[in-house]
Amino acid sequence: MKRTGTQTIPAPTLNRLPIYYRRLLDAIREGVGYISSAELGRSAGVPPAQVRKDFSYLSQKGRPGVGYEVEALASYLEAFLGLVDTKEAVLAGAGNLGRALALYPGFPAYGLQIVALFDDDAGKVGQEVGGRTILPVEEMGDLVRRRGIRIGVITTPAGAAQQVAEDMVEAGVRAIWNFAPESLEVPEEVFVKNEDLAAELAVLSHHVNRMSISAEEEAT
């Protein structure tokens, strides 16, 4: 959870705020001045009442019968989510996933810039990814300290993730985006966001399997 004033914002609400923000950006491009809670809710898959409750944590209210002022709400979310100032990050693990993340064009809109990639594979060191040279992982700590970087992205194999996380934290990283299939042990003050792609794939597979079984039952 995150506190704002005396309010504590639940994690599900925090997770929806970037989705609302993305819809607001679309509305700005469409030339829309106001947007309803129902439309914002559709973008996040929640009812209008939940949208209004989410924004109540931020003391943001729409106009009855009109909705939320698009540009004002987008600007507020930019500041609240910390998207106004660009934040530098380092990425450890320059495999296929790491390279794809480094090349993803959507991060700058959310204030994230991956400035350096690191790997322990000598065959990858020296290669170029989007204008950035892959560096030896041994040099990561020094660069993090010199540039005061606070965000680290881990896309290494599971066996290397814990050591990489420890090296990042020792150098000053305070938020880790972890794509490795490994639970990380870090100090309480370090925030870790885990992305378990294998688990998500298992969920998708389960739903596909259920649909297949349902189709077979209907055919009999």
Side-chain angles (χ1 to χ4, degrees):
M1 291 191 178
K2 180 175 180 177
R3 288 189 174 274
T4 174
T6 59
Q7 288 270 43
T8 298
I9 301 179
T13 293
L14 282 173
N15 290 336
R16 284 189 289 270
L17 294 183
I19 300 174
Y20 299 148
Y21 175 70
R22 186 166 58 237
R23 180 64 190 94
L24 290 167
L25 292 183
D26 288 340
I28 290 173
R29 286 190 286 268
E30 294 163 3
V32 175
Y34 287 84
I35 191 169
S36 68
S37 57
E39 189 167 352
L40 286 171
R42 281 194 292 272
S43 69
V46 296
Q50 183 62 61
V51 175
R52 293 190 289 271
K53 183 175 182 180
D54 287 345
F55 284 125
S56 71
Y57 291 111
L58 310 180
S59 300
Q60 297 296 300
K61 297 180 180 180
R63 293 175 54 183
V66 178
Y68 296 91
E69 185 178 353
V70 170
E71 291 196 8
L73 185 56
S75 295
Y76 182 90
L77 289 180
E78 284 176 355
F80 180 79
L81 295 171
L83 307 179
V84 177
D85 299 320
T86 299
K87 290 166 287 297
E88 295 185 337
V90 294
L91 184 148
N96 291 335
L97 177 57
R99 291 169 186 252
L101 289 173
L103 294 172
Y104 179 60
F107 288 150
Y110 289 83
L112 179 67
Q113 181 181 8
I114 297 176
V115 297
L117 287 76
F118 298 88
D119 205 284
D120 64 356
D121 183 347
K124 294 175 183 174
V125 172
Q127 295 180 6
E128 294 283 330
V129 179
R132 289 154 293 192
T133 302
I134 299 174
L135 303 171
V137 72
E138 293 82 6
E139 298 180 9
M140 181 177 64
D142 182 58
L143 184 142
V144 168
R145 293 186 187 92
R146 285 189 290 105
R147 300 186 65 151
I149 292 173
R150 294 293 178 263
I151 299 175
V153 183
I154 298 178
T155 55
T156 66
Q162 180 61 41
Q163 184 60 57
V164 167
E166 292 176 6
D167 292 343
M168 286 181 172
V169 171
E170 183 180 356
V173 164
R174 290 297 174 263
I176 296 175
W177 197 4
N178 178 39
F179 287 83
E182 176 77 7
S183 296
L184 303 177
E185 295 183 7
V186 298
E188 290 185 1
E189 66 271 16
V190 178
F191 176 77
V192 176
K193 178 69 169 65
N194 292 302
E195 300 290 350
D196 194 333
L197 300 182
E200 295 298 332
L201 178 58
V203 172
L204 288 175
S205 177
H206 169 70
H207 283 288
V208 170
N209 187 52
R210 285 183 59 188
M211 287 187 290
S212 298
I213 293 174
S214 178
E216 290 175 1
E217 290 176 346
E218 291 179 359
T220 58

